Amino acid sequence: MMPTTLEVLFAPAEFDLLGQRDLRQTVCVVFDVLRATSTMVTALGNGAAAIAPAAEIAEALSIRQRQPAVLLAGERDGVRIESHLTGGIGFDLGNSPREFTAAKVGGRTVAMTTTNGTRALRACARAAVVLVGSFLNLRATAELIERQHPPQLLIVCSGTHDQVAYEDVLGAGALCDLLWPQYGGGVVADSTHIARRLFRLEQDDLLAAVAQSRNGRHLMANPDLRADVPFCVQRDLFGLAAEMGQDGLVRISRPETERRNGLGV
């Protein structure tokens, strides 16, 4: 039997190179704690039918043109995309998970574009399975992985602009810590040890740690967005795993979806 492998990618430069790797036997878990993956999980937890991650604004607008009922969501520089960036169409939602209430997104598909998170998801599209990770659904994500025990697990930190994001490394480390009984005895990259040890160092006060990150400070300085930081560090608010299917849509992962996509092969 092949040994298991566990690796963490810290920065966008690393996930931009994923096109050169053979990911056919790899499960990727993408973290963008502040805030894209936290927002996607919240949307699904509040009844959204699906999220369509779009790498660029124009792609999201194209989805809306083909499907007028789709909601537009996303940010640039942390704030909701306004009409001056789109040629006249203001987005329905930004990237604050607190906006994605059941009343707004229940039963709806959301086309979403963000600075880094949606790019990271799209970079992983050739993997056997792509999961959406956050503190909000950490346990459910770990349990899905534990059930299927994929031989190659790659955790992708979305970062901020072109840099590492501390909160994403903490999220990756938290997942590594939960999975350590299964993966700690396999081939473990040094990046995994770094992420796990940072999480264990900060785990007693994650809010303080995340609030001091670059993204955390940026959000905390905005009166309308500062509440996103404590929201996004809540553990296991939603008991769901979220998966990007072969059609590019993020939905709640179901057992039949796991089997169809070959998780654990």
Side-chain angles (χ1 to χ4, degrees), residues 11 24 34 61 87 93 127 171 181 194 213 246 260:
R24 289 175 294 178
L34 295 177
L61 292 172
L93 299 161
I194 292 168
S213 69
Q246 295 176 353
R260 184 174 65 249

Side-chain angles (χ1 to χ4, degrees), residues 56-209:
E56 303 295 341
I57 293 173
E59 183 182 355
L61 292 172
S62 177
I63 294 170
R64 171 70 162 268
Q65 187 174 30
R66 297 194 303 271
Q67 303 177 58
V70 165
L71 293 171
L72 291 174
E75 55 77 28
R76 290 297 182 269
D77 296 321
V79 297
R80 182 187 302 189
I81 296 167
E82 301 291 352
S83 58
H84 69 278
L85 293 176
T86 67
I89 300 175
F91 276 35
D92 303 296
L93 299 161
N95 189 32
S96 169
R98 295 175 297 117
E99 294 181 81
F100 289 66
T101 62
K104 292 180 180 178
V105 303
R108 305 289 294 275
T109 295
V110 183
M112 184 174 180
T113 179
T114 68
T115 308
N116 279 52
T118 53
R119 280 178 52 214
L121 281 166
R122 294 289 293 274
C124 297
R126 294 170 52 253
V129 174
V130 182
L131 301 175
V132 177
S134 70
F135 285 110
L136 303 176
N137 71 332
L138 193 69
R139 175 64 64 179
T141 302
E143 288 177 350
L144 185 153
I145 294 167
E146 287 170 345
R147 286 197 305 273
Q148 302 296 335
H149 200 155
Q152 298 176 18
L153 185 60
L154 180 64
I155 304 176
V156 178
C157 299
S158 297
T160 180
H161 300 289
D162 293 323
Q163 299 178 359
V164 178
Y166 195 49
E167 67 276 7
D168 293 344
V169 178
L170 292 174
L175 183 60
C176 291
D177 199 50
L178 287 175
L179 295 172
W180 205 251
Q182 278 197 325
Y183 286 89
V187 179
V188 177
D190 284 352
S191 58
T192 304
H193 287 293
I194 292 168
R196 181 173 180 248
R197 290 181 182 184
L198 281 176
F199 166 72
R200 292 174 73 86
L201 178 69
E202 300 280 25
Q203 63 181 326
D204 291 338
D205 197 345
L206 279 175
L207 177 56

Side-chain angles (χ1 to χ4, degrees), residues 16 32 133:
D16 283 341
D32 188 347

Side-chain angles (χ1 to χ4, degrees), residues 18-54:
L18 285 177
Q20 302 173 20
R21 294 175 60 162
D22 182 356
L23 300 176
R24 289 175 294 178
Q25 301 297 315
T26 300
V27 170
C28 291
V29 186
V30 176
F31 279 87
D32 188 347
V33 171
L34 295 177
R35 292 162 293 163
T37 58
S38 300
T39 297
M40 291 179 187
V41 168
T42 301
L44 293 173
N46 285 334
I51 312 294

